[in-house]
Amino acid sequence: MQMLHRILSAAVLAAVPSLALADAYHELAREPHGIEAPNPEPAQPPAPPSKKITIYTAKTIVTEDPGTPTAEAVAVMDGKILGVGTLDEVKGWVTNEEVEVDRQFQDAVIVPGFIEAHMHPQITGVLWLGTYVGRFDRTSPDGTLNKGLETKAAVLERLKEAAAKMPADGNWLVAWGYQPEFYDNSPLTRADLDPISNGHPMLIENLSMHIYYANSKAFEIAGIGDDTNIVGIVKKDGKPTGEIEEITAALAFAEKLPPLNDKVVLKATWDAAKLAHRVGVTTFADLSFGTIPGGYKAYHDAAADPDFPVRTVLNPIIQVFQKPEIAAKGGLDVLNEWHKSDSDRLSFGGVKFVVDGSIQGYTGLFQWPYYYKTFANGVANISQADLTKWVGEVHKRGFQAVIHTNADEATEMALAAVTEAQRQYPQPATRDRLEHNQYASQSQLLRMKALGMATNLFTNHIYFWGDLHYSTFVGPDRAEDMDPAGSAQRLGIPFSMHSDASVTPVDPLFCMWTATSRKTMSGRVLGENERITVPQALHAVTLGAAYLIGQDDKKGSIKTGKLADFTVLDRNPLDVTSPDELRDIKVLGTVMGGKAFPATASGEKP
Ligand SMILES: [Zn+2]
């Protein structure tokens, strides 16, 4: 167990793209590690083509295909869908003895495999190696429920227990998920942490990963005293309080942590897959690829294991291509080389940009009148000139730009960049995407539509932070507009919903619920007219997400010729009488490439 506390490296802290400060990116660009050249060998395990046919039967199969919207059997050969229909219809394919009718899902409902188009799998896996101290209930990769902490006292109690359990070896205690916005904006301080640290240096991350907290022992090890002047060390009466606000300051601590090694990154990758598989995900996308040292090797090793239950799409952050050693090899053109390693199990997607920070971290970038009552505003992580230039470079090559914009001024900057990119290099099919895009106005949505853009909305925010959006961040009227899925649906803008895990738990059924109910933690409904229906929500987390990642030709619906990726549920989501029932639906397992992964079999490796 004590090993688990030794894992958070300088790389993670230095590299997480949600960090608020503009210079975080310059720092990242200087990082000596990061992406390794992908192995040109595809990660697909060398399975010989099989003529064996497996027919899965179910109570209902919801296909997301207009020709055959529901079915009772699906035939699978060589990892792909051979036929969909009644049992007799799909048996029409059988011309030899190599057929098995598999009735294990006979009483269940099969839907297309869920696709999580925006999370941070390896970062999530790494964080779970530390102690969770967040406000919400979270399930760890081993399936243990971690209760959300309702008071700051409860947070300190959990940290105290964790420190008490560690052997007195002076190792770091790392924790994550602290959310001062739920405790009167009260940060953790040295005065809070010192009495409970049991001799260990402590480093605790804010859930937003913009802010960190450390005890006196950690300050001592980092060599930071009252007289040290580093931007971001919060001081009161000339002494550091324990709060650390900027990357330069955070690095002084993170550099003292033991570095991540290959074994730990591989474990983090498997742990993320366990979390995702448990909730029915068959493909996930890493939206900060290039920030974990050894990240590609771990994904590649995992994908080569036939027991790894999730397909992976890697979205490299733009900073990867700006690094001198990659720039020397051709910068963005290198992505063409990397694409040659693409397989169905592991492939590269669009290039990620981060324009603003997070709304709950007060770093989201709003248009006037900015944050509610305070008129405060967030910061752009990138200048308009740089954003326009680099989005243009991505777009010109026919790659997809995947742009994080939380608040409406960030959306505006992204639209300006994509407009210019389309003017200079018209591309009808790049599917440039806005991620989170929580406050896109009606006018901005219309422009997105005209530009051929898609969006991935962060409807989970409505539940977790919606009450704070209403009371504190933006005020009542704007809060009703947040994450406008209903408008995207009406305008025909392709969209999905996502978890941004580790920020909220990966769980597409939960995303379906947040987008259809729009209920906050207190039960308030925010923006009734921005609700979507349950069928629309199911489409969004299957075929909608497949479109966003550019793989709707082979994923997202149960259709002859597509990959045999299914999610198995205990009841049909389309039969619910209220969206609230979506929260009670159980995931019984998945099928990925024709192979069944029951809910209990998400792997004990490595
Ligand atoms: Zn993200």
Side-chain angles (χ1 to χ4, degrees):
M1 187 68 191
Q2 73 275 19
M3 201 204 98
L4 301 185
H5 296 283
R6 284 192 249 137
I7 39 67
L8 201 63
S9 79
V12 178
L13 295 180
V16 170
S18 56
L19 285 164
L21 302 165
D23 69 349
Y25 283 93
H26 300 278
E27 199 61 47
L28 180 60
R30 284 200 299 272
E31 279 285 298
H33 40 55
I35 191 173
E36 315 73 32
N39 185 331
E41 293 300 317
Q44 189 105 33
S50 162
K51 289 274 172 273
K52 187 188 165 195
I53 296 171
T54 302
I55 297 174
Y56 288 106
T57 60
K59 193 156 78 183
T60 311
I61 299 173
V62 179
T63 67
E64 291 296 322
D65 178 56
T68 309
T70 57
E72 64 181 36
V74 54
V76 175
M77 188 169 80
D78 204 19
K80 291 186 293 226
I81 296 165
L82 184 60
V84 187
T86 64
L87 185 56
D88 281 346
E89 282 168 350
V90 301
K91 275 184 173 169
W93 279 101
V94 178
T95 54
N96 58 32
E97 298 306 306
E98 283 188 275
V99 62
E100 177 201 356
V101 178
D102 187 328
R103 299 183 191 275
Q104 63 175 310
F105 307 130
Q106 176 100 312
D107 300 320
V109 173
I110 291 178
V111 299
F114 291 150
I115 296 172
E116 169 54 270
H118 184 149
M119 65 178 283
H120 303 275
Q122 288 177 338
I123 288 173
T124 303
V126 166
L127 288 173
W128 272 115
L129 300 172
T131 301
Y132 174 67
V133 290
R135 172 65 186 81
F136 315 119
D137 293 358
R138 296 288 283 261
T139 304
S140 36
D142 69 4
T144 312
L145 179 72
N146 298 261
K147 289 300 282 179
L149 301 167
E150 292 185 23
T151 62
K152 185 176 170 184
V155 170
L156 294 174
E157 188 54 35
R158 186 170 289 172
L159 287 169
K160 185 180 173 184
E161 276 170 25
K165 272 189 208 152
M166 290 173 71
D169 54 7
N171 279 317
W172 285 80
L173 189 158
V174 176
W176 66 285
Y178 188 67
Q179 294 176 272
E181 64 269 27
F182 289 103
Y183 316 123
D184 291 328
N185 289 315
S186 171
L188 292 170
T189 64
R190 290 198 296 161
D192 293 325
L193 300 173
D194 288 348
I196 59 170
S197 59
N198 191 27
H200 296 281
M202 301 172 92
L203 187 66
I204 296 128
E205 282 193 88
N206 185 296
L207 185 73
S208 70
M209 296 193 234
H210 295 263
I211 295 166
Y212 306 84
Y213 315 94
N215 66 351
S216 295
K217 180 92 178 176
F219 271 83
E220 195 186 304
I221 292 171
I224 296 176
D226 298 353
D227 301 331
T228 314
N229 276 317
I230 300 181
V231 177
I233 299 291
V234 177
K235 288 185 183 177
K236 196 178 172 195
D237 302 329
K239 294 181 189 307
T241 62
E243 193 175 7
I244 303 155
E245 278 185 343
E246 301 198 15
I247 186 63
T248 317
L251 273 174
F253 295 83
E255 280 166 2
K256 303 296 177 188
L257 294 166
L260 292 171
N261 62 41
D262 286 358
K263 221 177 139 188
V264 169
V265 178
L266 186 61
K267 174 174 168 45
T269 307
W270 273 88
D271 280 354
K274 285 180 200 174
L275 288 169
H277 168 256
R278 187 177 295 126
V279 294
V281 170
T282 55
T283 292
F284 60 32
D286 184 330
L287 274 277
S288 51
F289 178 68
T291 58
I292 298 270
Y296 183 80
K297 184 179 186 312
Y299 278 128
H300 191 273
D301 289 355
D305 189 326
D307 291 333
F308 193 71
V310 184
R311 303 182 195 274
T312 308
V313 177
L314 305 176
N315 292 96
I317 57 171
I318 185 66
Q319 285 79 11
V320 164
F321 303 99
Q322 297 164 341
K323 291 166 78 156
E325 68 268 31
I326 302 286
K329 288 183 195 154
L332 276 163
D333 292 327
V334 166
L335 190 50
N336 283 316
E337 290 305 306
W338 295 353
H339 272 305
K340 290 178 185 161
S341 72
D342 284 355
S343 72
D344 289 337
R345 297 175 73 91
L346 179 63
S347 58
F348 282 88
V351 178
K352 174 81 180 297
F353 294 82
V354 178
V355 179
D356 63 349
S358 79
I359 288 166
Q360 72 276 26
Y362 295 93
T363 47
L365 191 63
F366 283 99
Q367 294 184 319
W368 190 89
Y370 321 119
Y371 277 93
Y372 191 40
K373 296 188 222 181
T374 64
F375 295 95
N377 207 359
V379 198
N381 278 313
I382 184 168
S383 69
Q384 181 72 64
D386 277 353
L387 182 66
T388 303
K389 173 184 172 218
W390 284 100
V391 166
E393 292 294 324
V394 166
H395 188 87
K396 160 169 109 177
R397 289 166 173 80
F399 301 142
Q400 178 191 43
V402 180
I403 311 173
H404 157 129
T405 67
N406 260 312
D408 52 359
E409 177 60 15
T411 295
E412 193 64 24
M413 288 176 66
L415 286 177
V418 174
T419 302
E420 182 60 16
Q422 284 287 19
R423 192 183 70 77
Q424 288 196 29
Y425 318 105
Q427 296 274 11
T430 46
R431 303 181 185 180
D432 297 323
R433 274 158 61 185
L434 297 189
E435 300 294 299
H436 313 324
N437 201 21
Q438 297 203 64
Y439 282 98
S441 68
Q442 294 293 313
S443 158
Q444 289 174 333
L445 288 167
L446 285 167
R447 283 151 63 201
M448 287 177 62
K449 168 80 174 164
L451 289 163
M453 297 176 74
T455 191
N456 200 354
L457 299 167
F458 202 174
T459 54
N460 283 9
H461 242 263
I462 298 166
Y463 175 75
F464 290 115
W465 291 277
D467 292 318
L468 285 171
H469 281 252
Y470 187 95
S471 66
T472 308
F473 302 150
V474 297
D477 56 345
R478 286 188 292 171
E480 306 276 350
D481 302 336
M482 65 187 293
D483 297 287
S487 290
Q489 180 75 40
R490 284 187 287 276
L491 291 169
I493 297 169
F495 71 96
S496 187
M497 298 87 68
H498 66 282
S499 68
D500 200 23
S502 59
V503 177
T504 73
V506 52
D507 189 347
L509 276 166
F510 184 80
C511 286
M512 286 176 62
W513 175 71
T514 59
T516 52
S517 76
R518 296 186 64 91
K519 279 188 188 164
T520 68
M521 266 171 102
S522 73
R524 179 194 296 280
V525 173
L526 275 182
E528 226 179 312
N529 292 328
E530 293 296 353
R531 282 173 165 166
I532 54 172
T533 66
V534 173
Q536 289 164 349
L538 180 63
H539 182 275
V541 300
T542 55
L543 201 51
Y547 179 91
L548 263 59
I549 61 171
Q551 298 186 354
D552 51 312
D553 57 334
K554 52 187 172 186
K555 294 178 185 170
S557 62
I558 299 176
K559 176 71 178 167
T560 298
K562 285 194 170 184
L563 296 168
D565 293 357
F566 315 134
T567 299
V568 186
L569 306 173
D570 71 339
R571 54 185 288 208
N572 187 346
L574 303 188
D575 285 348
V576 299
T577 51
S578 148
D580 290 346
E581 292 170 32
L582 292 170
R583 294 188 72 176
D584 303 327
I585 295 178
K586 289 191 173 53
V587 175
L588 303 177
T590 62
V591 172
M592 202 266 270
K595 178 182 156 103
F597 290 88
T600 50
S602 51
E604 293 306 315
K605 299 184 183 184

